[in-house]
Amino acid sequence: MPKYFQYKICGYFLYFTAKCIVEAFHVHASDSTLTEESSAKFFVKENGDTIVEKRGVLTDKEINKIQAFIKDNYKEMYKKWAALSSEGFYRG
């Protein structure tokens, strides 16, 4: 599973899976097991804002911090996504 970064944000890796690339640009947040079962899922809009599709086990505080991190880094993250997917940003 491709990670957007090799370090954790709020104790969670930010990543996507090869089967996810048929959807719009999004980010999973999960612990070291990188399972979708307990992960959160954030769809990312063209301006870096996110929509929480699934919160997983994350607290409101963790969700807010991860959303802020995505907003600050979404352009770099999108480059990694776009290398494998042609689906683009979330349009709601």
Side-chain angles (χ1 to χ4, degrees):
M1 290 181 210
K3 295 177 191 167
Y4 289 106
F5 302 98
Q6 294 304 311
Y7 52 88
K8 293 181 179 182
I9 307 303
C10 295
Y12 299 93
F13 285 112
L14 305 183
Y15 68 97
F16 60 97
T17 68
K19 70 180 182 178
C20 289
I21 60 174
V22 298
E23 296 180 300
F25 174 40
H26 65 275
V27 177
H28 288 283
S30 184
D31 60 13
S32 60
T33 61
L34 299 182
T35 60
E36 288 188 53
E37 220 172 86
S38 62
S39 72
K41 184 176 182 180
F42 302 84
F43 278 103
V44 185
K45 296 181 179 183
E46 200 164 6
N47 66 357
D49 289 345
T50 56
I51 302 294
V52 179
E53 171 74 13
K54 183 179 154 193
R55 69 179 298 122
V57 298
L58 277 68
T59 65
D60 289 341
K61 184 177 180 180
E62 291 168 330
I63 287 173
N64 291 335
K65 284 184 178 182
I66 290 172
Q67 285 179 307
F69 181 86
I70 292 171
K71 178 82 171 181
D72 290 343
N73 296 280
Y74 77 97
K75 290 179 182 177
E76 181 180 348
M77 296 168 78
Y78 183 73
K79 289 177 186 176
K80 292 180 182 182
W81 172 267
L84 298 173
S85 176
S86 61
E87 292 305 313
F89 289 96
Y90 180 76
R91 291 185 178 27

